[in-house]
Amino acid sequence: MTTKTKKIRSFVCGLVSFILSISLTLLFMLVTLRFTVLNAGYAKMIAQTSDYSTHMQQELKEQFGSYGSACNVDESFFDDIFEEVITPKRIVKDTQTSLEFFYKHDAEGEIDTSEIEDKIQEKLIAYADTKGFEINDSLRENLKVMCEEMGDLYVKYVGMFNTSYFMSASNILKRYMPVLNGAMIALAVLAIFATVVIRLSFAKVRNYTRFYIYACSGSALMLAVAPIAALIMRIGSKINVANASLFSFASSFINYSFVAMLVAALIMGVLTGCIAYVRNKANK
């Protein structure tokens, strides 16, 4: 093989390694998104591990207290409700149900609040008795209506991922998910093709592994730069969300997504190190 031919081969393989690097970067980005932002399990994990439920409980307590005041119910009545009935654990459970509806694109899904309403009604009857009210059918019916309205208020907050605003996003997700899956397959095929082309262009290990190192190290850098910059700039903490509960959920959702992207970059970095080890061993 002449010197000119070798130069052309090196140029072509360099170009193919660049294509391989881009395809690996995009593939890892899409796979990371598929298993984080676009995955119900990830969102449910965020609801459980962030401060979302604590803030949501406090917001609900304020709303229930305001509603109770309008119905001549002391605000202190709700202390037991939020210690025994509407606990952070219950809020997380129902929020996860709401998230499942979102990712399944189920606009008709509803959170079951019958247990909450029944327990609140029991406590309201006991409360009315201590206040000297006569416990009759009319009072029970009025208290039942109050409990149903409080149940609707609970769903309005905890089931926010089933509102029309979020369901519009869910429908967009449903529409473009097949496109995402197709893109991942196409990028995987392109990466395999580029890998094979480079491999068949050289007989010696040290030659083709050099281009693999170029591709993998470049991919690792591209995957790492944006998440590192975002985490340093605290992008996840600068979002404009009014509710403390939703802010906690959204900021954790974003930050952990960046961390996942860094993990993807780390995987590519480890792969680069492994290939470099093989190349060094072949050179000895």
Side-chain angles (χ1 to χ4, degrees):
M1 185 178 290
T2 63
T3 302
K4 184 178 180 181
T5 303
K6 289 181 179 180
K7 288 182 178 180
I8 293 174
R9 183 183 62 176
S10 295
F11 174 79
V12 171
C13 287
L15 183 61
V16 173
S17 69
F18 175 75
I19 295 173
L20 176 59
S21 180
I22 296 296
S23 62
L24 287 174
T25 301
L26 293 175
L27 178 60
F28 269 72
M29 286 178 63
L30 292 181
V31 170
T32 302
L33 288 174
R34 186 67 181 82
F35 285 97
T36 54
V37 175
L38 304 178
N39 187 278
Y42 172 77
K44 289 162 68 175
M45 181 271 291
I46 295 297
Q48 184 172 7
T49 57
S50 66
D51 294 329
Y52 160 81
S53 60
T54 303
H55 290 300
M56 177 60 75
Q57 186 186 40
Q58 185 59 39
E59 290 167 12
L60 283 169
K61 189 174 182 180
E62 291 175 0
Q63 293 299 318
F64 274 53
S66 298
Y67 178 84
S69 296
C71 299
N72 295 319
V73 177
D74 295 338
E75 189 174 344
S76 58
F77 164 78
F78 294 100
D79 291 341
D80 288 341
I81 298 296
F82 283 90
E83 287 180 4
E84 302 173 9
V85 183
I86 306 178
T87 61
K89 185 177 180 180
R90 177 61 190 252
I91 291 172
V92 167
K93 177 185 174 183
D94 289 334
T95 299
Q96 290 176 337
T97 300
S98 176
L99 287 166
E100 285 180 1
F101 293 146
F102 172 82
Y103 281 96
K104 290 179 180 178
H105 324 294
D106 184 3
E108 303 300 324
E110 293 183 357
I111 296 173
D112 183 12
T113 60
S114 57
E115 182 183 357
I116 291 176
E117 292 174 14
D118 290 343
K119 289 182 178 180
I120 293 177
Q121 186 171 1
E122 289 177 8
K123 290 183 177 295
L124 277 174
I125 291 173
Y127 173 80
D129 187 46
T130 60
K131 292 295 183 178
F133 288 94
E134 180 183 353
I135 310 301
N136 52 35
D137 291 340
S138 177
L139 179 64
R140 289 179 183 274
E141 186 61 30
N142 290 334
L143 294 180
K144 182 179 180 181
V145 172
M146 286 178 59
C147 292
E148 289 175 353
E149 291 179 350
M150 283 189 276
D152 292 339
L153 182 61
Y154 176 83
V155 170
K156 180 181 178 181
Y157 275 76
V158 177
M160 60 183 166
F161 296 104
N162 296 111
T163 58
S164 58
Y165 178 82
F166 281 98
M167 289 313 297
S168 296
S170 177
N171 291 330
I172 294 173
L173 185 64
K174 179 181 180 181
R175 183 184 306 171
Y176 290 103
M177 188 60 75
V179 177
L180 176 67
N181 293 333
M184 288 192 294
I185 294 173
L187 288 169
V189 171
L190 180 61
I192 293 172
F193 177 76
T195 301
V196 172
V197 169
I198 293 173
R199 174 63 185 86
L200 295 178
S201 299
F202 299 95
K204 294 182 179 180
V205 175
R206 66 179 184 180
N207 291 330
Y208 64 77
T209 51
R210 174 164 58 97
F211 291 97
Y212 290 159
I213 291 172
Y214 293 160
C216 292
S217 60
S219 178
L221 287 173
M222 285 187 281
L223 286 169
V225 169
I228 290 175
L231 289 171
I232 291 175
M233 296 172 63
R234 301 175 63 86
I235 297 297
S237 301
K238 294 181 180 179
I239 55 176
N240 187 17
V241 179
N243 293 349
S245 57
L246 186 56
F247 174 83
S248 178
F249 179 89
S251 60
S252 297
F253 193 86
I254 293 170
N255 288 331
Y256 279 111
S257 298
F258 289 141
V259 172
M261 199 68 71
L262 282 178
V263 172
L266 179 62
I267 292 173
M268 290 305 302
V270 171
L271 181 59
T272 302
C274 291
I275 297 173
Y277 173 78
V278 172
R279 186 169 188 268
N280 290 334
K281 193 173 182 180
N283 287 334
K284 292 181 180 179

